[in-house]
Amino acid sequence: MSIEIKLSRSNRIYRPNESLEGKIIANLSSSISHQGIRLTINGSVNLQVRGGTAGVIESFYGVVKPIPIVNRTVTVQPSGRIASGVTEIPFSVILKERGKDDMEKFYETFHGTDISIQYLVTAEVARGYLHKSLSTAVEFIIESEKDSLPQEPISPEMVFFYITQDTQKHPLLPELKSGGFRISGKVCSQCSVLDPLIGELTVEASGIPIQSIDIHLFRVESILIGDKIATETTSIQTTQIADGDVCRGLTLPIYVILPRLLTCPTIFAGPFSIEFKTTIVITFKSEQTKKHPKYDPKTPRSYMAMESVPLELVRKK
């Protein structure tokens, strides 16, 4: 005996002011009696602080409580019987009821390293004390309400950047300091989660040959614990825009498709925040490069130059 939930939309994407519709499908070898079929919608922000996170002492580890968003149970069918074979039981539930204040704002679905915003719908066939209840759950995805989104199309906001030996805060190889380099360009500082990250880059001068130019996308998750803030920065995507030395004065386009499952609109809530940033990394040819073919993009190396730009992600209609 088993039950499953099949939602009306194959992509499982809904907005808070819409109805969650679908079917509970029961596959039974024999008919059973039940004490009611219930559907529970649960949404929460789950916060996790891992030991060793900068700025957080060990005693705070694992004590952050989830932030409830919605928790609602409705009865789909009263007590009765379900016949043998395959039975489909339709349901429709309004996610955000008008006139009722939910516990929290409906944030968009997000799965990060320390912060997870998740929405689940659970179906249960209650069978009393002598029989085990049948239950199943499935995750659905929440996106922002269309009415709350900006009316006008969002134009990407550009910020100009310059990368030279004087703008670097970490130690550089002597040959990089003496030879010098200058890279300029512009990149988005605000764009829609559905649009590509665009910009351009020009190598104006470099005394040392360039090995590669990469665009790193970082996710910055912050959790407030008492008077301390735990911050975790994670690299979620790397896009190489140049392999090998680059012609001086040639403008290179920056065009990066954002990963839908790893991003969401930027959030600044009281107890937590989810932000993003773009880092342009220039790797120069040297003996050190051969010794360290793999590297952590969060850790600057002496044979690299980099520049970070905050990135605000928004959703449009």
Side-chain angles (χ1 to χ4, degrees):
M1 296 186 293
S2 65
I3 62 171
E4 65 173 316
I5 296 175
K6 186 175 182 180
L7 297 177
S8 59
R9 300 176 184 175
S10 59
N11 60 8
R12 297 179 290 130
I13 297 176
Y14 295 86
R15 300 181 187 272
N17 58 345
E18 295 178 337
S19 295
L20 183 71
E21 299 178 345
K23 295 180 289 187
I24 301 171
I25 302 175
N27 191 348
L28 309 177
S29 57
S30 60
S31 63
I32 62 170
S33 60
H34 63 85
Q35 296 182 348
I37 300 174
R38 293 185 292 269
L39 201 71
T40 300
I41 296 175
N42 182 272
S44 62
V45 182
N46 301 304
L47 308 175
Q48 175 186 356
V49 179
R50 298 177 296 169
T53 302
V56 180
I57 61 177
E58 293 293 332
S59 60
F60 285 134
Y61 175 77
V63 300
V64 185
K65 293 183 179 180
I67 301 172
I69 297 175
V70 60
N71 192 338
R72 186 180 305 129
T73 300
V74 296
T75 300
V76 179
Q77 274 191 7
S79 57
R81 294 189 67 85
I82 303 177
S84 61
V86 178
T87 303
E88 296 185 352
I89 306 164
F91 65 83
S92 178
V93 182
I94 297 175
L95 294 172
K96 190 174 184 180
E97 294 180 311
R98 292 185 178 181
K100 292 188 178 182
D101 294 331
D102 287 283
M103 296 175 238
E104 273 287 336
K105 174 184 176 182
F106 271 74
Y107 300 106
E108 292 206 10
T109 298
F110 173 78
H111 293 285
T113 304
D114 292 342
I115 301 173
S116 176
I117 304 173
Q118 188 176 41
Y119 299 86
L120 294 172
V121 55
T122 304
E124 181 185 22
V125 179
R127 301 191 61 201
Y129 297 107
L130 299 179
H131 301 279
K132 184 178 179 181
S133 298
L134 301 176
S135 65
T136 186
V138 66
E139 181 180 7
F140 61 97
I141 298 169
I142 286 291
E143 290 187 352
S144 301
E145 295 182 34
K146 289 186 177 181
D147 293 341
S148 64
L149 300 176
Q151 295 289 340
E152 298 295 328
I154 297 171
S155 299
E157 293 187 4
M158 294 289 185
V159 61
F160 291 88
F161 62 86
Y162 298 92
I163 305 175
T164 69
Q165 64 272 21
D166 298 325
T167 62
Q168 303 306 297
K169 299 178 181 179
H170 63 282
L172 295 174
L173 293 174
E175 54 265 35
L176 284 178
K177 284 187 175 182
S178 59
F181 55 88
R182 180 180 174 85
I183 294 97
S184 63
K186 60 182 180 179
V187 68
C188 282
S189 62
Q190 182 194 70
C191 70
S192 166
V193 291
L194 301 178
D195 293 337
L197 176 71
I198 60 174
E200 59 183 40
L201 177 148
T202 303
V203 179
E204 298 180 12
S206 178
I208 303 295
I210 293 174
Q211 178 167 302
S212 70
I213 301 176
D214 301 278
I215 308 297
H216 295 275
L217 180 62
F218 288 95
R219 179 179 59 211
V220 184
E221 302 168 65
S222 300
I223 302 173
L224 178 65
I225 309 173
D227 59 349
K228 297 181 180 294
I229 298 177
T231 300
E232 183 74 22
T233 302
T234 310
S235 175
I236 58 175
Q237 182 171 284
T238 299
T239 303
Q240 186 182 55
I241 65 170
D243 182 16
D245 205 9
V246 178
C247 295
R248 309 302 182 251
L250 177 66
T251 299
L252 300 176
I254 297 174
Y255 191 94
V256 178
I257 302 296
L258 300 176
R260 169 62 187 93
L261 297 179
L262 302 177
T263 57
C264 71
T266 301
I267 298 175
F268 291 100
F272 70 97
S273 66
I274 302 172
E275 304 170 74
F276 300 89
K277 68 176 181 179
T278 306
T279 300
I280 301 99
V281 178
I282 315 297
T283 304
F284 297 91
K285 288 184 179 180
S286 72
E287 292 299 321
Q288 294 293 326
T289 311
K290 299 177 182 178
K291 295 179 182 179
H292 304 280
K294 295 183 179 180
Y295 67 94
D296 182 358
K298 295 186 293 183
T299 305
R301 299 280 187 176
S302 59
Y303 50 84
M304 294 178 179
M306 56 182 61
E307 183 68 26
S308 294
V309 176
L311 174 63
E312 180 185 1
L313 295 180
V314 297
R315 184 171 295 281
K316 64 180 182 180
K317 286 189 178 181

